[in-house]
Amino acid sequence: MSRFIILAILYLVLAVYGFQAFRTLFKSPLMHWAYIVLFLGALIFLTIKVMTYDEGDGFKGTAAIAGTIFAAFFLLALVLGFFLLLEDIVRLLGFGYNKIVGVSNPDAGYFPSRRKFISGIALGLAALPFGALLYGMYRGKYNYQVLKYELEFDDLPDAFHNYQITQISDVHSGSFDDYQKVEYGVNLVNEQKSDVIFFTGDIVNLKSDELEPWKEIFSRLDAKDGVYSILGNHDYGDYAVWDTEEDKEENLEYLKTMQKDMGFDLLLNSNRFLEKNGDKIALVGVENWGRGGFKKAGDLQKAKEGVSPEDFKILLSHDPSHWEDVVIHDDYHFHLTLSGHTHGMQFGVEIPGWVKWSPVKWRYKYWAGIYKELGQFINVNRGFGFIGYPGRFGIWPEISVITLKKKGLA
């Protein structure tokens, strides 16, 4: 609570300071009061949610909305404050100069007035992150994108040439708030008519019962060779509050049961073989393994038991740090790994062929899209859902469609 009080004080200081630019541009008292009411309203809304927050519920629903609105106004005031501070430094230097050498027009005073031009630039730039956060919350979070890739391999079995995979990841069903939009996303997955569908973890936020309202929708996922899944770090219940360890274990077992009922073949440090016209490829799935404090239940050695080094292998592993730290250095060659986890931070800028940026790149080297190291590929899916920030901007929810190609075959 003390940290929230400090944050609230800083917010108010920035809001008051930023008001100077607003007052310079707009002379109407009505506009001034609108500024005050909106900034105070955002703080009051968040305060109410902080006072009534239950850690066991997770950061979702109106709590997440209140946090996002507050963050948008905080960024607005922060950017305004930055530009006003630069201007005030210049004004202070001008004041010092005028004080020393005098001014040609004494009626103008020693201290230069604030310039509308600077205030206008400040407000315009401040509006960019402000508008982006709000747009992402109301429109971006269900702006599903189908991203298609073709990957070529020398040793892909002939029968799997042009074999199509659809991958989704990071559903985070506890955050959903629009049944029709989620239904549209699932239908979009099925419309790809892929041979197989892979889900690479984090189907809930905190507890398994979050999936119950969405279970029927996701049970509609359909592909000729099946739907396969793995667990992500959120699926184990590690971020929820439990009365007993038995309750936590029951929660995980319930999640496994629901996935089975939905028609998902859940791989828990295990493997399957996909067969076609006498050829086969190995599908290997590990439990979550993440760098740092993330759960390390993944056991690659156990998961590949029964798979030979010569088999063509697809690995499902939720966290791309597992690929970087373990998989690409393993004595087995994993041709393609499918991961998620990063969400692309749900915020960034992507212009294909020009720029791909998100703050999450400072945490994860491999954070979105296709990468290749030591002759092995990984696709890091940007995620189907959202968590924390109840929106997306620039890094849209993703449905990955990957077509496998055999080099030399037309």
Side-chain angles (χ1 to χ4, degrees):
M1 181 58 69
S2 60
R3 283 184 291 183
F4 174 72
I5 293 173
I6 294 172
L7 182 64
I9 293 172
L10 177 61
Y11 173 82
L12 289 173
V13 170
L14 286 171
V16 171
Y17 192 42
F19 181 66
Q20 307 310 310
F22 198 80
R23 187 173 60 179
T24 300
L25 288 171
F26 302 101
K27 301 303 182 183
S28 168
L30 182 62
M31 294 295 289
H32 297 169
W33 277 109
Y35 179 99
I36 294 169
V37 169
L38 288 172
F39 267 89
L40 285 178
L43 178 59
I44 292 170
F45 187 23
L46 182 64
T47 301
I48 292 171
K49 290 302 170 184
V50 168
M51 298 296 292
T52 59
Y53 181 68
D54 183 347
E55 186 177 339
D57 292 337
F59 187 66
K60 60 183 181 180
T62 54
I65 292 172
T68 300
I69 293 174
F70 176 82
F73 277 95
F74 188 92
L75 281 173
L76 180 67
L78 185 65
V79 176
L80 280 175
F82 173 77
F83 279 93
L84 293 185
L85 179 61
L86 291 180
E87 185 188 13
D88 283 346
I89 291 173
V90 173
R91 293 170 70 209
L92 185 60
L93 292 174
F95 170 75
Y97 177 81
N98 290 339
K99 193 75 171 175
I100 294 171
V101 303
V103 292
S104 58
N105 181 10
D107 294 335
Y110 280 110
F111 203 83
S113 61
R114 195 174 296 283
R115 299 173 181 174
K116 281 190 174 183
F117 175 71
I118 299 298
S119 295
I121 290 177
L123 190 60
L125 291 176
L128 293 177
F130 176 81
L133 280 174
L134 296 183
Y135 175 86
M137 182 171 64
Y138 288 105
R139 295 295 298 272
K141 60 187 176 184
Y142 296 118
N143 184 25
Y144 299 108
Q145 304 291 306
V146 178
L147 301 185
K148 296 187 177 183
Y149 308 97
E150 290 186 356
L151 300 179
E152 287 190 335
F153 303 90
D154 291 317
D155 53 349
L156 178 71
D158 290 354
F160 285 90
H161 178 63
N162 287 327
Y163 191 77
Q164 185 171 291
I165 293 165
T166 290
Q167 179 200 2
I168 60 172
S169 191
D170 299 270
V171 161
H172 291 287
S173 54
S175 299
F176 289 146
D177 55 11
D178 192 317
Y179 189 92
Q180 290 184 331
K181 294 290 180 58
V182 176
E183 185 178 42
Y184 164 76
V186 169
N187 290 339
L188 194 57
V189 173
N190 286 334
E191 285 173 12
Q192 307 313 307
K193 299 188 182 303
S194 289
D195 295 291
V196 66
I197 295 173
F198 297 137
F199 170 68
T200 48
D202 278 0
I203 204 164
V204 296
N205 294 342
L206 299 175
K207 297 182 178 181
S208 298
D209 57 12
E210 296 169 1
L211 181 58
E212 289 175 350
W214 313 99
K215 177 181 172 183
E216 191 276 330
I217 292 180
F218 285 97
S219 67
R220 301 179 202 169
L221 288 173
D222 182 62
K224 176 171 60 69
D225 290 340
V227 181
Y228 297 86
S229 65
I230 56 171
L231 298 176
N233 54 297
H234 281 266
D235 295 325
Y236 295 89
D238 289 344
Y239 308 124
V241 177
W242 303 99
D243 292 332
T244 66
E245 191 63 29
E246 288 74 20
D247 289 341
K248 181 180 178 182
E249 291 174 3
E250 287 178 7
N251 173 77
L252 180 56
E253 290 305 313
Y254 182 43
L255 184 66
K256 294 176 183 178
T257 299
M258 276 197 288
Q259 291 207 30
K260 181 179 179 181
D261 293 342
M262 289 161 52
F264 288 18
D265 188 349
L266 180 62
L267 302 181
L268 301 168
N269 294 325
S270 59
N271 60 76
R272 306 283 189 271
F273 283 92
L274 302 176
E275 298 186 6
K276 184 177 182 181
N277 299 334
D279 286 336
K280 65 178 182 178
I281 60 177
L283 174 61
V284 181
V286 295
E287 294 194 50
N288 189 78
W289 191 103
R291 183 187 298 147
F294 287 105
K295 194 176 196 71
K296 293 178 174 60
D299 187 337
L300 186 60
Q301 302 309 311
K302 179 181 178 182
K304 69 183 186 183
E305 289 177 0
V307 176
S308 72
E310 295 77 25
D311 288 324
F312 187 93
K313 295 170 284 295
I314 297 176
L315 174 68
L316 308 184
S317 179
H318 178 69
D319 191 321
S321 67
H322 184 227
W323 186 73
E324 181 182 0
D325 292 354
V326 178
V327 176
I328 58 175
H329 306 294
D330 190 78
D331 56 350
Y332 273 32
H333 181 91
F334 288 90
H335 299 76
L336 173 62
T337 296
L338 302 176
S339 297
H341 181 64
T342 72
H343 300 206
M345 206 172 172
Q346 298 168 211
F347 191 92
V349 178
E350 283 197 86
I351 303 174
W354 290 85
V355 62
K356 185 174 86 172
W357 178 87
S358 167
V360 79
K361 68 177 296 182
W362 298 321
R363 173 66 174 83
Y364 291 96
K365 182 178 180 181
Y366 310 103
W367 60 273
I370 298 286
Y371 302 89
K372 186 178 183 181
E373 296 285 354
L374 303 177
Q376 302 169 81
F377 290 98
I378 186 173
N379 181 55
V380 184
N381 184 281
R382 293 160 180 80
F384 187 89
F386 49 91
I387 188 173
Y389 166 46
R392 285 178 176 265
F393 185 85
I395 308 295
W396 312 115
E398 175 184 352
I399 298 166
S400 303
V401 178
I402 302 172
T403 301
L404 308 182
K405 297 279 188 176
K406 174 70 175 285
K407 283 186 180 179
L409 290 183

